[in-house]
Amino acid sequence: METTRKIDVRKLAVTAVMGAVAAVLMFISFSVPLMPSFIKLDLSELPALIASFALGPVSGVAVCFIKNLVNLPFTTTSCVGELCNFLLGAAFVLPAGLLYKKLNGRKGALIGSLVGAAAMAVLSLPINYFITYPFYAFFMPMEAILNLYQLINPAVENLFQALLWFNVPFTFIKGLLSVAITFLIYKKISPILKGNK
């Protein structure tokens, strides 16, 4: 009973720390080539993916929740941006953690994280189409938003095309970056996170 309690307290503490790291990474974002300037790249899903592997998928999702909760007072999206970020982050780390738990090992981690990155990319289409961009349209006309996409690709005719051609691949690549970094550092830090060192 005492051991279980210690493990649970440690798990909560490590999850909270990883959430704080993710929140910091969320603030460090930058524009990328071939994307409209308002779309920023950050690696805040990285600690969530690591937590999902080391501590379980629930911890990974909790990290996604914590980083958005911390970020909430500093944004002007009325919770909409944070909600969408949380949903996409959870779509990434939940299947990754579940598959890793079932197929424990490097192969399971790779399959899980690729499935998670694909799920996040696919879900970014309906989440952005039905939630994020309709909200942004209150502050910036949809024509102006589309113009930013059309400056890069004049063939873009509507929001669906813009999201399909730009946001979906961008989200998938963003996920793959977190996967690549996780594979580089996970073996070194997992014993510390799990309390084996």
Side-chain angles (χ1 to χ4, degrees), residues 27-138:
F27 288 114
I28 306 168
S29 61
F30 48 91
S31 301
V32 294
L34 301 177
M35 290 297 292
S37 57
F38 61 86
I39 295 176
K40 308 287 184 185
L41 175 67
D42 69 71
L43 294 174
S44 61
E45 274 84 34
L46 174 60
L49 182 61
I50 292 170
S52 195
F53 286 158
L55 307 170
V58 173
S59 288
V61 172
V63 169
C64 292
F65 179 75
I66 292 166
K67 69 164 180 164
N68 281 290
L69 197 62
V70 171
N71 195 59
L72 198 58
F74 304 98
T75 64
T76 54
T77 63
S78 304
C79 298
V80 173
E82 288 68 37
L83 171 64
C84 295
N85 187 283
F86 169 72
L87 292 173
L88 291 176
F92 180 30
V93 303
L94 188 60
L98 287 170
L99 282 166
Y100 178 66
K101 201 172 178 182
K102 192 170 183 178
L103 308 167
N104 200 281
R106 199 171 176 84
K107 186 180 176 183
L110 181 61
I111 293 169
S113 54
L114 290 177
V115 168
M120 179 170 67
V122 169
L123 282 174
S124 73
L125 184 56
I127 286 173
N128 281 317
Y129 190 84
F130 292 110
I131 304 174
T132 311
Y133 281 73
F135 174 77
Y136 289 155
F138 284 112

Side-chain angles (χ1 to χ4, degrees), residues 7 10-16 18 47-60 63 100-101 186 190 192-195:
I7 291 168
R10 180 181 177 80
K11 204 174 184 180
L12 285 171
V14 174
T15 299
M18 295 300 275
L49 182 61
I50 292 170
S52 195
F53 286 158
L55 307 170
V58 173
S59 288
V63 169
Y100 178 66
K101 201 172 178 182
Y186 182 73
S190 66
I192 300 164
L193 298 176
K194 293 175 180 178

